[in-house]
């Protein structure tokens, strides 16, 4: 995977004792209390696993009572750390707080205090500016002359953002409306400085990274940022965070997060330091082709502020501006390199701009970030990671990335989606048993597609006759089928309408267009009025921008599926090979999922449900796609990313003969150093099914963990050499591993070094070695066995070597 990283927040050498001394000696009791409150939420997360140790230290210093100590130690995990901070902050003096900060340095060598170390490092970096941060008063009273307009503004934003509208296929219901505060599911957000070039489709590249980052977060190695912690908290690298950027792949929830922020501000839950909040969408700002002004774009969205706007903008440090969807803006926003040197300083000679100043939208964004317009106002920008490069030189104080849902949040989403808990749990159970679908659920938009597709089935009496989707192509074919089935009577020619829409969608994929106007519709013989009915309201979402009406597919992957559908059904067979070759040579990854869909549409079972609605599948194109996959498989040898993508094509095609022809003679699989998601492992296991024997399976440093092991256990029984070195296997995987190898009479070499097996796995390993009579070497070096565990393994080796010469158990 190509790409490059921005600087990461790493633990550098810090004199923690000196930091603690500065905190303890340099702050008054009131300041120390404010400091603790500022970091309170982060300290709760950071001390979740060590709260009992800290509590004992405080009890030993007699700053908390025995009862308080017992209450803390009697609680579990997060509750214990919450109770610890609550107890410390409940004291009238600062003795408990001082003792707590001192204990952090006492435990500095403990790896469980990694997050606390990061906080101490941050305090060290901020130095004297931290005094300004904790003394900044966020609750300044609003001016009397602005109270009325402030309340009106909040009321309007509350009304605009109060509900989430989600469409449904069940029956003839076109839309479900949920109260935002009840349906919103918290997202997993981490402070991040990553930038990734799009060399693969985000579903593939970011999906694999998401797996690893989510694991680190759940293991408490990465901190989490909540939606109310972006401004006015300890996150960020400056005295007070003014400029923040939140990135996330398409459909991950950036716009919904913005809606939640705006709504919660409007009802007075968060960010009381801001008296006025203004929200804009970059896709709407595209209409300003000539120069405009910040004042004008505010009034275009909030015309009721015209009389009071000058007074509103006078208190710049009480204003929050949110710009959503930088990746949808057609113009680049380039920052001069000098700005990267100092986040808090303006470049010398920079001209000051006023809200009334006429300039381009990029100039307005630049001026806001550089403090040349509305100095001291706060700005939040959201974007997909692929558009982050334009902000690389911007003086951004906080970067954060949305990872999507955790396992618990996926369950929460399913339970909220349908009012019938039984139906929700049935859908969730089905998805949990399908590695493809469940892994997609980290993304809220994919989760929505899955829930929408399954809901109609699990609430229908015909559910027993339905073949559930196994692949991504089948999922989206089912999604489109449900739309067409329920709304085909509303269009005279649903097939032509769908395929024309698909041609427009392909143009968007090819030219990176995700927002469509009337001129796009007319180019493909479409009328925007066609989309006022329910037929395609669930494919395209209509949005009234400031001066025009625009449309977009509710998710990029829907656009890609329709593009593939149109090209598969309408491209003449002689020209299909050229289309596949041209799209597969793109280096920026824009066609990766499109090609998966093209492969998947060659499967008769996938297209069968669309047959009655859009006609017969062109068999010549089916054969062309199959031949192309064969050629792709041959050319991908030696190129791990290309080969892995080709295995996904094989899986989507669901063609047993094709898999047998391509994979049947494979004797070695090597994806070492390639991060593999649970979906990758699942696909690999399926396509390796026809292999009779694998000489070598090398997955060194692939981070497969327990999910991957559950999938790969189906092929381990046919391997001679297995190298699962440094792949994050734990005791929870050892039973699956032993079970898979128990019938393997051919295995000779098993490498499991640098994993996380402990003494709990030793009996299972002894049983495994005894049963695998052909096994000569098992490498368990650098696993955290105790001396007793190592001794048991070596004694067993000596015992078996009497009858099995050459056996080596390496520990």
């Amino acid at each position: 995977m190509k790409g490059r990283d921005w600087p990461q927040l790493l633990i550098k050498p810090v004199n923690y004792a000196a930091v603690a001394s500065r905190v303890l000696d340099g702050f008054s009791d009131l300041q120390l209390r404010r400091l603790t409150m500022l970091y309170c939420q982060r300290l709760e997360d950071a001390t979740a696993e060590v709260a009992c140790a800290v509590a004992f230290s405080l009890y030993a210093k007699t700053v908390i009572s025995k009862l308080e100590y017992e209450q803390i130690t009697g609680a579990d995990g997060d509750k214990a750390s919450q109770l610890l901070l609550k107890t410390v902050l409940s004291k009238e003096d600062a003795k408990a707080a001082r003792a707590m900060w001192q204990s952090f340095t006492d435990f500095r060598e403990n790896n469980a205090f990694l997050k606390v170390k990061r906080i101490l490092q941050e305090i060290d970096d901020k130095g004297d500016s931290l005094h300004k941060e904790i003394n900044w008063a966020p609750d300044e009273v609003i001016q009397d002359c602005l109270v009325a307009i402030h309340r009106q503004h909040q009321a309007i934003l509350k009304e605009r953002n109060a509900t989430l509208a989600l469409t449904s296929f069940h029956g003839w219901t076109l839309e479900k409306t949920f109260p935002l505060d009840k349906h919103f599911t918290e997202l997993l957000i981490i402070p991040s400085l990553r930038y990734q070039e799009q060399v693969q489709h985000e579903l593939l590249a970011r999906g694999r990274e998401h797996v690893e980052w989510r694991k680190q977060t759940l293991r408490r190695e990465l901190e989490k940022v909540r939606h109310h912690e972006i401004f006015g908290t300890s996150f960020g690298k400056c005295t007070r965070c003014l400029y923040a950027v939140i990135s996330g792949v398409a459909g991950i929830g950036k716009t919904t997060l913005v809606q939640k922020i705006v709504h919660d501000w409007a009802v007075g839950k968060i960010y009381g330091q801001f008296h006025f909040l203004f929200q804009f969408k970059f896709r709407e700002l595209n209409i300003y082709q000539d120069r405009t002004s910040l004042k004008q774009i505010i009034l275009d969205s909030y015309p009721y502020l015209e009389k009071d706007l000058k007074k509103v903008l006078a208190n710049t440090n009480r204003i929050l501006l949110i710009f959503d969807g930088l990746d949808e803006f057609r113009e680049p926003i380039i920052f001069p390199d000098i700005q990267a040197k100092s986040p808090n300083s303006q470049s010398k000679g920079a001209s000051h701009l006023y809200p009334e100043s006429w300039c381009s939208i990029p100039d307005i964004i630049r001026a806001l970030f550089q403090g040349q317009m509305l100095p001291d106002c706060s700005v939040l920008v959201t974007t997909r990671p692929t558009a982050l490069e334009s902000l690389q030189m911007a003086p951004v104080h906080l970067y954060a990335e949305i990872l999507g849902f955790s396992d618990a949040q996926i369950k929460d989403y399913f339970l909220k989606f349908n009012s019938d808990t039984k139906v929700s749990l049935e859908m969730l159970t089905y998805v949990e048993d399908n590695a493809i679908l469940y892994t997609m659920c980290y993304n809220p938009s994919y989760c929505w597609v899955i829930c929408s597709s399954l809901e109609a089935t699990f609430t229908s009496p015909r559910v027993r006759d339905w073949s559930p989707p196994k692949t991504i192509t089948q999922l989206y074919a089912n999604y489109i089928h449900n739309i067409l089935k329920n709304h085909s009577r509303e269009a005279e020619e649903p097939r032509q309408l769908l395929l024309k829409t698909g041609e427009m969608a392909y143009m968007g994929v090819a030219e990176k267009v995700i927002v469509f106007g009337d001129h796009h519709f007319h180019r493909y013989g479409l009328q925007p009025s066609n989309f006022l009915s329910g037929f395609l309201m669930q494919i395209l979402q209509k949005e009234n921008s400031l001066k025009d009406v625009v449309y977009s597919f509710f998710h990029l992957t829907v656009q890609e599926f329709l593009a593939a559908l149109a090209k598969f059904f309408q491209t003449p067979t002689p020209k299909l090979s050229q289309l596949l070759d041209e799209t597969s040579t793109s280096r920026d990854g824009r066609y990766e999922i499109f090609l998966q869909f093209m492969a998947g549409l060659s499967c008769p079972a996938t297209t069968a449900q669309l047959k009655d609605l859009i006609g017969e599948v062109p068999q010549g194109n089916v054969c062309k796609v199959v031949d192309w996959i064969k050629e792709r498989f041959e050319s991908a040898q030696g190129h791990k990313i290309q080969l892995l993508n080709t295995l996904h094509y094989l899986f989507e095609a669901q063609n047993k003969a094709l898999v047998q022809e391509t994979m049947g003679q494979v004797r070695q699989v090597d994806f070492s150093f390639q991060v593999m998601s649970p979906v990758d492992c699942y696909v690999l296991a399926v396509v390796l099914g026809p292999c009779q024997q694998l000489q070598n399976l090398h997955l060194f440093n692939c981070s497969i963990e327990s999910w991957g092991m559950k999938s790969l256990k189906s092929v381990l029984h046919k391997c001679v050499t297995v190298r699962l070195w440094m792949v994050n296997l734990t005791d929870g995987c050892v039973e699956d591993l032993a079970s898979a190898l128990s019938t393997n009479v051919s295995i000779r070499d098993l490498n499991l070094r640098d994993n996380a097996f402990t003494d709990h796995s030793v009996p299972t390993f002894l049983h495994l070695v005894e049963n695998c009579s052909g096994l000569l070497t098992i490498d368990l070096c650098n696993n955290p066995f105790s001396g007793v565990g190592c001794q048991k393994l070596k004694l067993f080796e000596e015992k078996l070597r009497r009858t099995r010469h050459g056996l080596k158990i390496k520990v």
Side-chain angles (χ1 to χ4, degrees):
M1 183 190 306
K2 280 185 176 181
R4 57 193 178 87
D5 295 339
W6 286 7
Q8 297 288 308
L9 179 61
L10 302 175
I11 297 298
K12 66 180 183 180
V14 175
N15 187 335
Y16 296 109
V19 176
S21 177
R22 185 165 65 249
V23 170
L24 298 176
D25 300 336
F27 288 85
S28 66
D29 285 359
L30 177 60
Q31 290 174 327
L32 189 63
R33 181 179 181 81
R34 286 182 175 177
L35 177 70
T36 307
M37 292 177 66
L38 180 68
Y39 282 91
C40 183
Q41 185 67 66
R42 292 176 65 185
L43 287 173
E44 285 181 6
D45 293 338
T47 60
E49 296 180 359
V50 293
C52 294
V54 175
F56 179 77
S57 176
L58 302 189
Y59 173 59
K61 296 176 181 178
T62 67
V63 294
I64 65 172
S65 68
K66 181 179 180 181
L67 176 61
E68 290 169 331
Y69 167 68
E70 290 175 345
Q71 288 175 337
I72 295 170
T73 56
D76 296 326
D78 294 337
K79 291 183 179 179
S81 60
Q82 292 170 8
L83 191 55
L84 172 66
L85 269 295
K86 182 179 179 180
T87 301
V88 168
L89 289 171
S90 69
K91 304 298 182 180
E92 293 184 2
D93 56 33
K95 289 182 180 179
R98 292 185 184 279
M100 180 183 69
W101 285 97
Q102 181 61 55
S103 71
F104 295 157
T105 63
D106 295 339
F107 292 114
R108 60 185 177 272
E109 301 303 325
N110 190 324
N111 287 332
F113 280 77
L114 181 61
K115 287 185 180 179
V116 176
K117 288 181 179 181
R118 288 197 179 108
I119 291 173
L120 291 174
Q121 175 188 324
E122 189 176 293
I123 290 173
D124 186 55
D125 291 340
K126 289 182 176 180
D128 293 338
S129 68
L130 189 60
H131 284 272
K132 298 179 182 178
E133 187 169 346
I134 63 175
N135 288 326
W136 182 64
D139 54 352
E140 181 181 305
V141 177
I142 193 169
Q143 298 175 41
D144 291 341
C145 61
L146 294 177
V147 169
I149 194 65
H150 167 76
R151 290 175 179 171
Q152 180 186 356
H153 187 57
Q154 283 191 316
I156 290 173
L157 289 184
K158 176 185 175 182
E159 182 179 0
R160 289 181 182 179
N161 296 276
T163 59
L164 280 174
L166 300 176
T167 52
S168 169
F169 303 132
H170 186 44
W172 287 90
T173 303
L174 298 183
E175 188 173 79
K176 289 181 173 182
T177 301
F178 299 93
L180 176 69
D181 54 351
K182 292 184 179 180
H183 190 78
F184 179 79
T185 300
E186 197 70 40
L187 294 162
L188 195 59
I189 309 172
I190 62 170
S192 158
L193 288 177
R194 281 185 68 85
Y195 157 70
Q196 183 70 49
E197 294 178 22
Q198 184 179 339
V199 293
Q200 288 182 286
H201 188 281
E202 289 176 333
L203 173 60
L204 301 175
R206 305 300 289 186
R208 288 169 189 147
E209 292 176 357
H210 171 273
V211 170
E212 181 59 30
W213 284 22
R214 194 165 68 90
K215 289 170 185 173
Q216 293 182 45
T217 303
L218 297 179
R219 289 197 303 259
R220 303 185 184 280
E221 294 174 14
L222 294 176
E223 291 193 85
K224 293 181 287 187
V225 182
R226 293 163 181 82
H227 77 287
H228 59 274
E229 296 178 325
I230 300 168
F231 297 99
T233 67
S234 59
F235 281 107
K237 59 185 180 182
C238 70
T239 301
R240 179 166 63 90
C241 179
L242 296 179
Y243 313 123
V245 174
I246 295 181
S247 67
V249 300
I252 202 70
K254 299 182 294 295
T255 297
T256 303
L257 177 67
V258 167
Q259 183 179 351
K260 177 66 172 173
I261 291 172
V262 175
H263 174 268
D264 285 3
W265 174 84
V267 298
K269 288 184 178 179
I270 64 174
Y271 300 139
Q273 67 267 34
F274 300 121
H275 296 166
F276 287 89
L277 181 154
F278 302 111
Q279 173 190 7
F280 307 99
K281 294 184 178 180
F282 274 105
R283 67 169 59 177
E284 295 181 353
L285 298 180
N286 283 323
I287 67 171
Y288 295 100
Q289 298 181 9
D290 299 320
R291 292 193 302 169
T292 184
S293 68
L294 178 62
K295 175 184 176 180
Q296 187 60 52
I297 67 174
I298 291 176
L299 290 179
D300 284 343
S301 294
Y302 310 97
Y304 53 87
L305 290 174
E306 185 169 9
K307 292 182 179 180
D308 300 291
L309 187 57
K310 186 173 183 179
K311 295 178 182 177
V312 167
L313 298 181
N315 295 320
T316 57
N317 65 335
R318 302 300 171 181
I319 294 172
L320 171 59
L321 298 163
I322 300 178
F323 297 89
D324 185 24
L326 174 64
D327 52 285
E328 298 178 358
F329 193 54
R330 66 169 181 266
E331 295 184 54
I333 302 176
I334 308 301
F335 287 82
D337 193 14
I338 190 172
Q339 293 301 324
K341 297 179 180 179
S342 176
N344 295 315
S345 64
Q346 301 178 36
S347 58
K348 293 183 179 179
S351 59
H352 187 81
L353 296 177
Y354 299 94
E356 300 83 7
S357 300
W358 285 86
C359 52
S360 67
I361 296 296
D363 287 338
I364 291 174
I365 302 299
R366 261 193 306 271
L368 288 170
F369 269 100
Q370 294 173 349
Q372 298 167 7
M373 181 185 293
L374 298 184
D376 291 330
C377 76
S378 295
V379 181
L380 171 63
V381 169
T382 71
T383 180
R384 287 167 61 184
T386 50
L388 275 176
E389 187 173 23
S390 63
L391 296 174
Q392 188 173 7
M393 298 301 174
V396 176
H397 300 142
L398 173 66
Y399 285 96
E401 178 158 358
I402 303 175
L403 298 188
F405 290 154
S406 65
D407 294 338
Q409 290 161 346
I410 291 173
K411 181 177 180 180
D412 185 40
Y413 187 93
F414 271 75
L415 290 174
K416 289 178 178 178
F417 189 87
N418 191 288
S419 58
D420 188 332
T421 302
K422 181 180 179 182
V423 171
S424 295
L425 290 175
E426 287 177 350
M427 294 194 308
L428 179 61
T429 299
Y430 170 72
V431 170
E432 285 177 334
D433 291 336
N434 185 306
I436 298 284
L437 300 184
Y438 190 72
T439 303
M440 290 176 67
C441 283
Y442 84 87
N443 186 306
S445 285
Y446 296 141
C447 207
W448 183 90
V449 170
I450 291 169
C451 287
S452 298
S453 296
L454 296 183
E455 183 185 43
T457 303
F458 279 85
T459 54
S460 168
R462 299 190 302 275
V463 64
R464 297 179 185 274
D465 300 325
W466 175 71
S467 179
K470 298 178 182 177
T471 69
I472 298 175
T473 313
Q474 289 178 1
L475 172 68
Y476 281 89
N478 178 259
Y479 169 79
I480 295 300
H481 171 263
N482 281 328
I483 294 175
L484 291 170
K485 179 183 67 175
N486 284 338
H487 303 291
S488 59
R489 287 178 290 176
E490 301 174 26
E492 294 179 1
E493 297 181 352
R495 181 182 189 275
Q496 286 302 311
L497 190 58
L498 183 63
L499 294 179
K500 287 180 180 179
T501 305
E503 289 291 345
M504 185 176 72
Y506 179 79
M507 176 277 295
V509 173
E511 299 179 15
K512 293 187 175 181
V513 175
I514 58 177
V515 180
F516 302 86
D518 288 351
H519 63 288
H520 294 116
F521 283 72
H522 296 317
R523 187 194 307 179
Y524 293 93
L526 296 165
Q527 295 296 326
S529 59
N530 291 137
F531 296 87
L532 299 178
S533 69
F535 177 59
L536 288 179
M537 282 179 63
Q538 298 173 42
I539 293 176
L540 282 160
Q541 53 189 6
K542 175 184 175 183
E543 191 164 329
N544 294 308
S545 65
L546 296 176
K547 296 182 180 179
D548 204 352
V549 177
V550 294
Y551 301 84
S552 62
F553 293 89
F554 94 92
H555 191 275
L556 176 61
T557 313
V558 173
Q559 179 178 340
E560 291 164 319
F561 178 78
L562 291 174
L565 197 66
K567 288 301 180 184
F568 191 90
F569 274 81
Q570 297 192 131
T571 303
T573 299
K575 294 185 178 181
L576 188 59
S577 295
Q578 180 182 354
L579 173 68
L580 293 171
D581 289 339
E582 289 177 353
T583 53
S584 64
T585 55
S586 172
R587 295 187 177 184
D588 63 5
R590 74 181 71 181
Y591 294 109
E592 285 299 335
I593 293 298
F594 168 82
L595 290 170
Q596 280 197 26
F597 285 142
M598 292 292 283
L601 289 169
S602 71
C603 172
T606 300
T607 54
Q609 57 188 325
L610 298 173
K611 180 179 178 181
D612 294 340
L613 297 164
I614 57 176
E616 293 288 342
V617 176
Q619 290 303 312
N621 286 1
V622 171
C623 296
K624 280 290 184 183
V625 169
V626 169
D627 290 340
W628 176 78
I629 294 175
K630 294 178 188 176
E631 296 170 2
R632 186 73 175 172
F633 180 78
E634 293 298 327
S635 64
Q637 301 303 314
H639 304 280
K640 293 177 183 178
I641 282 290
Q642 293 181 22
L643 181 59
L644 193 56
N645 288 339
T646 304
L647 298 187
H648 279 269
Y649 303 155
L650 285 171
F651 177 78
E652 291 292 324
Q654 293 287 292
N655 186 325
K656 293 182 179 179
L658 176 61
V659 174
Q660 178 66 52
E661 182 177 348
T662 53
M663 300 295 295
Q665 302 304 313
V666 169
R667 292 294 175 265
Q668 175 166 313
V669 173
D670 186 354
F671 284 108
S672 298
F673 297 99
Q674 173 60 50
V675 175
M676 297 184 68
S677 72
V679 170
D680 296 328
C681 294
Y682 181 81
V683 167
L684 178 61
V686 171
V687 299
L688 285 176
C691 298
Q692 296 301 312
Q693 186 180 74
L694 273 175
Q695 188 67 33
N696 298 304
L697 177 62
H698 293 174
L699 299 177
F700 167 46
N701 199 19
C702 287
S703 191
I704 63 173
E705 291 205 359
S706 57
W707 262 96
M709 180 54 61
K710 287 182 184 297
S711 298
L712 293 172
K713 68 180 182 180
S714 64
V715 299
L716 291 181
H717 67 280
K718 57 181 74 175
C719 301
V720 177
T721 299
V722 177
R723 293 184 178 176
L724 299 175
W725 178 8
M726 201 183 295
V727 293
N728 297 327
L729 298 182
T730 66
D731 294 332
C733 310
V734 72
E735 292 296 337
D736 285 333
L737 180 67
S739 174
L741 293 173
S742 62
T743 58
N744 189 332
V745 296
S746 303
I747 190 166
R748 297 291 183 269
D749 186 354
L750 177 60
N751 191 324
L752 298 171
R753 65 182 298 144
D754 289 291
N755 283 293
F757 296 115
T758 71
D759 288 2
H760 293 292
S761 296
V762 169
T764 306
F765 279 127
L766 299 181
H767 185 68
L768 169 65
V769 173
E770 187 172 24
N771 282 353
C772 295
S773 57
L775 184 64
L776 294 177
T777 303
I778 178 170
D779 191 341
L780 296 170
C781 291
N782 297 331
N783 280 279
F785 298 119
S786 70
V788 174
C790 291
Q791 186 178 26
K792 287 181 179 179
L793 289 165
K794 296 307 291 183
L795 288 174
F796 192 74
E797 176 192 37
E798 293 178 10
K799 175 184 175 182
L800 282 189
R801 286 180 70 175
R802 299 168 189 169
T803 56
R804 196 187 305 178
H805 300 294
L807 173 67
K808 294 181 180 179
I809 301 179
K810 299 180 180 180
V811 291

